[in-house]
Amino acid sequence: MVTEQKLGTLGDVFPERTKTDTQKKDSTVSRLLSEYAPEGTRNDRAASIAGTFHGWGVPDDVVLELLALWSNAHCDPPLPLRELQGVARSVARYPQKLTSFERKPFQTSEK
């Protein structure tokens, strides 16, 4: 299971991206993942998060785990798992923009 400690930065996950490109994506993802999502905005934000990660070639099961972490931390009330699964399934219908990349293992602060 993906935990917040295992997420690292996108530079760790997508090492072939340029530093500037990765920094921009880190900023966008950081904003999406850290913003509070009140009722009425949760599904749209979940779709944005899922679409972003799916588009980068993140596996669908990891996208769902990321959505669950985000929902539990930033939604009031958290979205039910069934709704998150629906969002992830909906986004997965679209082609991934990056489908082949060499993934480095997630970095943690533990050694």
Side-chain angles (χ1 to χ4, degrees), residues 1 8 12 33 35-37 45 50 57 70 73 76 83-84 100 104:
M1 175 173 241
D12 296 333
L33 292 175
E35 289 179 342
Y36 169 73
R45 291 188 188 191
W70 167 79
D76 187 23
E83 285 189 49
L84 295 174
S100 61
K104 292 168 62 176

Side-chain angles (χ1 to χ4, degrees), residues 2 4 13 25 32 35-36 40 42-44 50-51 55 57 63 65 78 84 88 92 102 104:
V2 175
E4 290 176 274
V13 179
K25 286 182 178 15
L32 282 171
E35 289 179 342
Y36 169 73
R42 299 172 305 159
N43 283 62
D44 287 345
V63 171
E65 288 190 43
L84 295 174
E102 184 179 321
K104 292 168 62 176

Side-chain angles (χ1 to χ4, degrees), residues 10 12 16 25 37 57 76 96 99 103:
L10 291 175
D12 296 333
E16 78 285 355
K25 286 182 178 15
D76 187 23
Q96 293 180 313
T99 55
R103 292 177 62 190

Side-chain angles (χ1 to χ4, degrees), residues 85-103:
Q85 289 168 329
V87 168
R89 215 175 10 259
S90 177
V91 167
R93 296 179 305 169
Y94 297 94
Q96 293 180 313
K97 294 174 188 158
L98 298 176
T99 55
S100 61
F101 58 87
E102 184 179 321
R103 292 177 62 190

Side-chain angles (χ1 to χ4, degrees), residues 27-63:
S27 174
T28 301
V29 171
S30 293
R31 183 184 54 78
L32 282 171
L33 292 175
S34 65
E35 289 179 342
Y36 169 73
E39 270 188 288
T41 66
R42 299 172 305 159
N43 283 62
D44 287 345
R45 291 188 188 191
S48 293
I49 291 166
T52 298
F53 282 107
H54 175 75
W56 291 338
V58 174
D60 295 337
D61 61 325
V62 175
V63 171

